[in-house]
Amino acid sequence: MHVGILYSRIRRDEKLLLNELRDRGHEVEKIDVRKQQFGLDRMTTDVSELDLVIDRCLATSRSLYATEFLDSYGVTVINNPRTADICADKAKNSLALAEAGVPTPNTKVAFTTDAALEAIEEFGYPCVLKPVVGSWGRLMAKIDSRNAAEAILEHKATLGHYEHKVFYVQEFVDKPGRDIRVLATDGEPVAAMTRSSEHWLTNAAKGGKTAAFELDETALDLVETASDAVGDGLLGIDLMEVGGAGSGEYTVHEVNHTVEFKALNDSTDVDVPARVVDWLETKAAESDAAEAPIA
Amino acid sequence: MSEAECVECGAELSLHDDLEAGEIIDCGTCGAELEVIDTAPPVLDRAPELEEDWGE
């Protein structure tokens, strides 16, 4: 297949993917998103002959627009812009999960500091304030008191960008020092790991220690439903155990659409890039079949 | 293995063989993050600063 990789930074994840694609003899077109102009009918790089484009943009804003444009050109893009739109925004993510009946932390969104403070007080302490767009655990606040809430809200209100005035308040889930990251393709798990830390933030990007995790039937069902709720694709689904480690009871806090997988590749005995490319080959074949003229 | 000069401190960097344009490498001398702009021959520049919407 002829694959485009849309990127601005080649992380180890992209390198693993590039190597696997090239080792299998696939033709790869690296597309630096920073060098592109996206017109209404074409972009700087000719993508018309590509079987699919994988969005690996590091910047969410670029990912959202670039996938919209690619989709409008009739190019199969992984992940599609509808999925990206939901996953890039924590509020939309929460709504999609709740609408699909997936257990997800109780959440409220408010647009003023006064309304946000009311929401925080209703949740009680501790609770969590998150940016609606953001990743790697940045700007996440665990709020332990009204004094802290007032200070954090005042700071957020002066940060400047309008997104910081969308206050996303969430119940604090007392997880057992770890959460679970599942990489899935169209709802089918590729690999899963725990991310553990003594800090309340357990993100691998924050130094959380990773270890392979075996998904039980409940988790498998949740992964499938959560994936479907956001429109499927190549996704990172994050779960927390409620009621202690190994309780078999989960809440899904978010689904990520430009998922990193190097830590999963290191922590499990699954050849993650190989499994991802297996899936990409299937998607490219489906895309070809859909475009083939009916005899 | 090829070599290039750190644009921050001027130290000579040894680069691995499977270098990719867009990859980030660290200068072992000054710690600067450098982006590989081109691979043949290797061209390095200061890597972009972390932006608020970066992530997954």
Side-chain angles (χ1 to χ4, degrees), chain A residues 9-10 15 22 30 34 58-61 135-136 138 164 181 256 258-260, chain B residues 16 18-24 33 35 47-48 50-56:
Chain A
R9 177 177 281 204
I10 299 293
K15 207 153 178 179
R22 287 171 180 153
K30 282 170 65 186
R34 297 167 298 179
L58 197 52
T60 303
S61 51
S135 203
W136 299 336
R138 281 168 303 157
H164 292 302
R181 159 60 59 89
N256 300 278
T258 50
V259 57
E260 295 171 325
Chain B
H16 50 87
D18 63 341
L19 208 60
E20 288 280 350
E23 194 175 349
I24 304 298
E33 280 200 326
E35 178 179 350
L50 175 74
E51 298 271 358
E52 202 174 317
D53 68 338
W54 283 14
E56 48 175 356

Side-chain angles (χ1 to χ4, degrees), chain A residues 271-286:
Chain A
D271 186 341
V272 174
R275 293 282 303 278
V276 170
V277 173
D278 287 345
W279 178 76
L280 291 172
E281 288 170 344
T282 312
K283 299 306 279 186
E286 285 172 9

Side-chain angles (χ1 to χ4, degrees), chain A residues 161-173:
Chain A
H161 196 283
Y162 68 87
E163 275 174 358
H164 292 302
K165 296 179 183 69
V166 179
F167 301 101
Y168 177 96
V169 187
Q170 196 164 67
E171 68 170 309
F172 176 73
V173 176

Side-chain angles (χ1 to χ4, degrees), chain A residues 3-11 13-15 17-18 22 28-36 38 43 45 53-59 62-63 66-67 70 78 258, chain B residues 19-24 35-39 54:
Chain A
V3 186
I5 294 206
L6 194 66
Y7 77 98
S8 59
R9 177 177 281 204
I10 299 293
R11 295 163 285 185
D13 313 84
E14 283 74 42
K15 207 153 178 179
L17 210 49
L18 284 167
R22 287 171 180 153
V28 182
E29 178 99 31
K30 282 170 65 186
I31 306 168
D32 187 340
V33 71
R34 297 167 298 179
K35 296 179 179 167
Q36 301 297 313
F38 294 89
M43 56 192 271
T45 297
V53 172
I54 310 160
D55 165 32
R56 298 296 305 174
C57 288
L58 197 52
R62 293 170 182 169
S63 164
T67 55
L70 282 160
I78 308 292
T258 50
Chain B
L19 208 60
E20 288 280 350
E23 194 175 349
I24 304 298
E35 178 179 350
V36 179
I37 304 297
D38 209 341
T39 55
W54 283 14

